[in-house]
Amino acid sequence: MEHINLVHNIPFFSIFLAMLCGIITALVKNGRVAYKIHTIMVLVVGIMSGILLASVVKNNEIFTFMMGHFPAPWGNELRAGPLEALMAVTFSIVMLLMVSGGSEFIFKDVLPEKQPLYFIMLNALFGAMLALVYTNDIFTAYVFIEINTIASCALIMAKGTPQSMVGTTHYLVISLLGSGLFLLGASILYSITGHLLFPQMKEAILEIIKTEQYRLPLLVVTGFMFIGIAIKSALFPFHSMLPGAYHAAIPTSSGILSGLVLKSYVILGIKLIYCVFSEYVMETLKITEVLFAFGLAGMVMGSVYAMKERKMKRMLAYSSVAQIGYIYMGIGMGTRVGMTAACFHILAHAITKTLLFLCCGSFVEDSGGKEKIYHMRGAAHRNLLAGVGYTVGALSMVGIPLLAGFISKVYFATASVYSSGKMAAVLIVLGVSMVLNALYFLPSVIAIWTPVKGAESRPTSSVSPVFAVSIVGFIILNFALGIYYRPITRIIQMSIDLLVQ
């Protein structure tokens, strides 16, 4: 019994440890020391999350952890099951590899006196993402949405250039619009239901639907909250802040923002669907249909914008818009098979896009700061490991077999068969999107492997051990997800079944 209680404390300890390390880092004046504190913290959280995942999968359970012991209707709770634990493990692994592999970018591009501040924000961001994954009440969700936003802006502006300031301002304005809509929806929902905890909210909402009372306000509330989450997660057409922000930020920040931060909002949205509004209410109010339509549009338009880009980091940013479209398409199918595909794609994109941003940062550095794909010619010969990593990531995004991206696309295609009236749209847009992915990723792969005559083709820099380990780690994860995907999808399916109960 004591062991079970200890495991049930892991979600709270994970968030608390991240926030505590942020406070400790504030007392540190050296960036290297701050980096070590952050690395140890993420490693510890990752190990604890792994223990939690093993426990909840073995026991087939989902549990709540009360914080502050305030009873309903104002309680603060965390909720953990296989999905939450799986996402916490993924976030920990990706954060550890990305920050370790991109540490040289941090120490090179961020002023020494600001490096501890960067890691303070990184710790706060990690804790906020974990809180969004675990939360079981709407107030906690909003608080950590705002912490997520502030910390994200700090990571974007860390470089301190005029370009990063402009990108941060744009990101902040659009993000606050999403936060404001979410808060407005949450406030109205509280006034209708009288509760903050997800389970009690769900009961009240189902009663509202049955009695036909407050049906229009409920539709408005649901719209506000999901539009807010769509803006925060950069669903098309709410994506305008991404290209400038990711282009101006250091590669480490860009990878974390694309691979993890956007996904934390999506995971919160998934929890709202099952734990607050229910599949029945989402279908009755036609919210899933709207998400499906915007997801399809994002898949195509994100790729179209990426094709027109000549700068690699901006191309990767637009690619993220397309990949977020994939996730919302899966959610919008309104089936558990579609949700399984969406959750798997969250994992596949997290490990792939961070790899691409890490390799891109190395290419830009080896090319003397030049960012256009044309200037990346021969980059893979100057940095062979980064070239291999970028190639694997690009092929995964296109959907080549044995890689994670291929499996998620197969699951989306399979899910379309179970989605009444949506199969044709899914298969057509999926095919078009895969072709468009190839049209902008493959030319960049060809460019980096095209030899350049003269001195430029010779190696220009040595690869640090942590960078090499991170690239190899991401490559292994990609192949692992692409080959041993069945245990992961079983965990996701188990999670959805538990969330529906």
Side-chain angles (χ1 to χ4, degrees), residues 148-176 240-250 253 257:
N148 226 3
T149 302
I150 295 168
S152 298
C153 289
L155 296 193
I156 296 168
M157 68 186 296
K159 204 170 183 178
T161 62
Q163 192 179 32
S164 66
M165 296 300 176
V166 172
T168 303
T169 304
H170 190 183
Y171 187 93
L172 180 61
V173 170
I174 302 298
S175 290
L176 289 180
S240 62
M241 76 282 199
L242 284 199
Y246 290 5
H247 179 246
I250 63 175
S253 299
L257 291 168

Side-chain angles (χ1 to χ4, degrees), residues 252-273:
T252 314
S253 299
S254 300
I256 292 169
L257 291 168
S258 177
L260 299 181
V261 173
L262 297 183
K263 310 308 183 309
S264 64
Y265 299 122
V266 177
I267 294 165
L268 174 62
I270 291 172
K271 292 194 70 171
L272 291 179
I273 290 172

Side-chain angles (χ1 to χ4, degrees), residues 424-474:
V426 170
L427 294 179
I428 291 171
V429 175
L430 193 61
V432 170
S433 179
M434 289 176 67
V435 171
L436 293 176
N437 286 345
L439 289 177
Y440 66 83
F441 267 120
L442 295 186
S444 65
V445 172
I446 293 170
I448 65 172
W449 288 105
T450 300
V452 180
K453 294 181 181 180
E456 292 183 25
S457 62
R458 296 198 301 268
T460 57
S461 62
S462 58
V463 177
S464 67
V466 288
F467 180 84
V469 169
S470 296
I471 294 295
V472 172
F474 278 127

